[in-house]
Amino acid sequence: MGKVKIVGRVVIVTGPVSTGKSSLCRKMVEQYHKGTCRVVQFQRANPSNSAMLENMLKATNKIQEGIQSESFVVIRTQNMTYESLVSLIVSIRVMGYKDEITVIKMNLPEELHIDFWRRNRKPSKVSLKKLKNERAMFQKIMEKDGFEDAKATSVEINNPENIIFEF
């Protein structure tokens, strides 16, 4: 059983597809008892795709509403690069949030990750090729120590089962 210390009211959960981000977010919300919670799905947008840009704008508005209402905000990311993660953190600062941000990096060993994918996902929705492409993209996030923000700390999770959060 692992303990994960959450610092601040904003948590970003990032990792490749099918690493248990959604389940981890649900677990975090269940264990949080200090006030209101808001979970927001945030996906890096392709500038040429207007629907993706619209979804990103809606997510950004939900994040800002959560920050302004002083809720506990959990941001579940999808398809992120290191640069888009840094941009998200900068955006949160522009929204006026000054406190700590916890970034949870879902870094499952490849065998466990593929096992999760086989058990929990419909293989027709997410291909093994996509899973491996996202793992490769995620490695850049793992290689970087920081996010160019002194108040953004990261926590690495290698197995999302049996996690207890400390707030």
Side-chain angles (χ1 to χ4, degrees), residues 3-159:
K3 290 187 180 183
V4 175
K5 176 98 172 119
I6 303 296
V7 184
R9 293 187 294 109
V10 175
V11 177
I12 300 171
V13 180
T14 190
V17 65
S18 196
T19 52
K21 295 183 299 289
S22 297
S23 298
L24 190 84
C25 290
R26 279 192 300 275
K27 194 180 301 186
M28 192 181 316
V29 168
E30 288 171 6
Q31 293 179 19
Y32 184 79
H33 299 290
K34 295 183 179 182
T36 59
C37 294
R38 182 179 297 240
V39 178
V40 179
Q41 179 176 328
F42 186 88
Q43 181 173 351
R44 175 178 61 102
N46 178 343
S48 64
N49 185 329
S50 60
M52 285 178 76
L53 286 171
E54 187 174 319
N55 287 339
M56 190 175 91
L57 182 60
K58 286 178 185 177
T60 302
N61 288 338
K62 288 179 183 178
I63 294 166
Q64 187 167 17
E65 289 169 7
I67 289 170
Q68 290 174 345
S69 68
E70 298 192 6
S71 298
F72 179 66
V73 180
V74 180
I75 304 165
R76 181 175 56 86
T77 66
Q78 186 174 337
N79 195 26
M80 297 293 276
T81 63
Y82 175 76
E83 293 78 14
S84 58
L85 189 55
V86 169
S87 295
L88 176 59
I89 292 169
V90 169
S91 297
I92 291 167
R93 296 298 184 205
V94 170
M95 292 174 195
Y97 183 74
K98 305 283 186 238
D99 295 329
E100 298 283 336
I101 297 172
T102 302
V103 179
I104 297 177
K105 300 175 182 179
M106 302 293 288
N107 189 27
L108 278 57
E110 187 170 8
E111 305 80 39
L112 181 61
H113 187 184
I114 291 172
D115 183 52
F116 269 32
W117 169 74
R118 285 191 175 120
R119 287 186 293 136
N120 298 327
R121 293 282 183 193
K122 295 181 180 93
S124 61
K125 278 188 142 184
V126 178
S127 69
L128 185 58
K129 181 179 178 182
K130 178 178 178 162
L131 181 142
K132 290 191 177 205
N133 285 342
E134 284 197 23
R135 280 186 67 83
M137 188 169 56
F138 184 67
Q139 281 309 308
K140 187 170 181 186
I141 293 172
M142 290 306 302
E143 290 167 2
K144 299 283 187 171
D145 283 336
F147 299 102
E148 301 170 18
D149 185 314
K151 287 187 168 185
T153 58
S154 65
V155 177
E156 183 178 337
I157 293 181
N158 301 108
N159 188 340

